[in-house]
Amino acid sequence: MIQYRIDVAEPAAHRFQVTLTVERPDADCVLALPVWIPGSYMVREFSRHVSGLQARQGSAQRPVVALDKTTWRVACTGRAALVLRYEVYAFDPSVRCAYLDDERGFFNPTSLCLSVRGREGVPHALRIAQLPRGWDVATAMPPAEPAAHGPAHSYLCADYDELADHPVELGRFWRGSFEAGGVAHELVVSGAWPRFDAQRLLADTQRICAAQIAFWHGADATPDAVPFERYVFLLNVVEDGYGGLEHRASTALIANRRDLPRQGQPETSEGYQTLLGLISHEYFHTWNVKRLKPLEFGRYDYSRENYTELLWFFEGFTSYYDDLFLRRIGLMSVDRYLRALGRTLNAVASTPGQRVQSVAEASFDAWVKYYRPDENSLNVTVSYYAKGSLLAWLLDMRLRTAGTGTLDDLMRTLWQRHATTGLCETDVLDAVREQAGPPLADELAHWIHARAELPLAPALAVMGLHTPTEAPTKTSWATRWGLKLSESGGSVVVKGVLRGSCAEAAGVSAGDEILAVDGWRVRRLEDARQWVAPDAACEWLVGRGQRVRRLTFDPTQGTAIQPVSLTLQTGLDDTTRARRSAWLGE
Ligand code: ZN
């Protein structure tokens, strides 16, 4: 048994105190903290927040020797338990690490709990102590038995992997519950304004969960078919934030406080729509990536990057289904659904990186590219979320058009075959081949590995969707000419320049401050439309470092970007209308 005691003694100083007890330690006891957390593919080196590591065996102090940035060794004598004490500084407000102040706390065990080499497979117990008065604990971590008789806030996991996969929320939060598919679900909201519409959030979340359980296990699924006994949503609302991380029986979410539904306001704001999409996304991961997972994730190696070429499937397909579920259960209008899909289409279409990197390469390189974006990212990378979701959409449309079922069928086949064995690309291709024949499987293989645009236009047409281009006068200058801008405090600063764009042809560089257009000072680039004729050449004055440069901006040089909108085509034949309606409900 490995035991952790987490003391919440100094919340205002953002410090957790951790006591780790190793029974009957090896003579050479090696301890390590993960460098990453599954679901967020970047080496974060959580050990940088660990300090004051001390070890004792009985009354004898044992020296702690650092082996590398995240691993320590303690030489032990005899069988007495080894007790380690250390503190962890916790001031990261994201869902990926740990946070503590005098209002709330949150931690992933990957930030607080050292693993003991060779003992990862034994039971791991965790207890939370010195909880400030009035605070409570929310987590999907299984309580230690018997919960009623043992110390409060004690938990027991089968192994280190299970421990690592249960985030914990601490504080005074709102808590509600519901059942979906006969399984108990809990929803915890931290930081909410008092008059948020908790019952609406609870009811909408319940509908999403029920629909997804029915998707994977059938409409009359029994609770034992569902692969978890209890599920917990840990939602922290803040002034400005967004994010989520999936776990085997819970998810940690961050959203804007103002995006919670409000009592007496039955309309669905864009923000609330986004929050429902996030809930749908992370819950879908409970199946797609937490259980049906890349073969390479069969056993996580917490000490280094774990590479897979399949994030286009696990993140992209999940992104396709998140809004689609909202649409199917009536939580998203057709109009909003098409606008969201249109935004994804435009985002990918204006990513020159899709001609440089395939979605398989984007998945593999997530550790150093997707998670570490810079001003050149759009030119050399493509989002496996966005392009992966378009790939899912395209595959779904092609299956439907050929009369060979739907993507739902494919997902369920993969679940039944590979939920316990791990998934590789060949498994996906084999299942497509069986369901729809070799040509579609070959095409899919091409879409996964091609550094090229997906053939979306024919599929849009056969689904009764129209893609009129936006009038040039409506497209912002920045978008049209390939500029990423930051406009604040009266200054216009270039954050990125798209490859092949008019802005690149004019010699604009990331970091430039655009000062003036044709002799007039600009505080917002869009204002220049008042005095520059559409598509006419103009002279820009930019600040670059301490120098001022003149650039000739000629829209006839380079490629202009023309966003499209997505609309329903009218006058459809019966087959096309039925096909579109089966997919979109319209
Ligand atoms: Zn995701």
Side-chain angles (χ1 to χ4, degrees), residues 246 281-282 285 315 318 385:
E246 65 276 8
H281 181 98
E282 301 303 338
H285 273 316
E315 288 301 347
T318 300
Y385 283 87

Side-chain angles (χ1 to χ4, degrees), residues 80-115:
L82 172 67
V83 179
L84 284 111
R85 289 205 172 83
Y86 53 95
E87 69 179 39
V88 179
Y89 179 69
F91 202 44
D92 181 319
S94 81
V95 291
R96 303 177 287 247
C97 308
Y99 183 86
L100 183 62
D101 69 13
D102 55 10
E103 300 216 323
R104 81 175 265 272
F106 170 83
F107 67 87
N108 288 287
T110 39
S111 280
L112 260 56
C113 298
L114 300 181
S115 67

Side-chain angles (χ1 to χ4, degrees), residues 168-181:
V168 179
E169 176 74 27
L170 312 166
R172 297 182 187 89
F173 37 73
W174 181 88
R175 194 198 285 259
S177 62
F178 61 85
E179 265 194 15

Side-chain angles (χ1 to χ4, degrees), residues 37-172:
I37 181 166
S40 184
Y41 307 104
M42 182 170 152
V43 169
R44 294 179 191 278
E45 292 158 337
F46 304 122
S47 63
R48 69 192 201 276
H49 298 305
V50 171
S51 59
L53 198 50
Q54 289 190 359
R56 301 192 85 85
Q57 244 190 318
S59 58
Q61 187 124 9
R62 300 288 180 216
V64 179
V65 179
L67 299 182
D68 63 29
K69 64 185 178 185
T70 197
T71 314
W72 296 268
R73 182 172 58 209
V74 182
C76 297
T77 312
R79 313 212 53 168
L82 172 67
V83 179
L84 284 111
R85 289 205 172 83
Y86 53 95
E87 69 179 39
V88 179
Y89 179 69
F91 202 44
D92 181 319
S94 81
V95 291
R96 303 177 287 247
C97 308
Y99 183 86
L100 183 62
D101 69 13
D102 55 10
E103 300 216 323
R104 81 175 265 272
F106 170 83
F107 67 87
N108 288 287
T110 39
S111 280
L112 260 56
C113 298
L114 300 181
S115 67
V116 183
R117 187 173 292 169
R119 305 277 182 99
E120 295 88 347
V122 307
H124 284 58
L126 183 142
R127 180 155 80 89
I128 295 162
Q130 299 195 55
L131 205 59
R133 188 186 301 274
W135 282 31
D136 204 350
V137 179
T139 179
M141 201 180 285
E145 297 286 349
H149 304 112
H153 311 309
S154 291
Y155 305 90
L156 185 61
C157 299
D159 52 26
Y160 186 81
D161 272 339
E162 185 180 11
L163 176 83
D165 209 7
H166 288 300
V168 179
E169 176 74 27
L170 312 166
R172 297 182 187 89

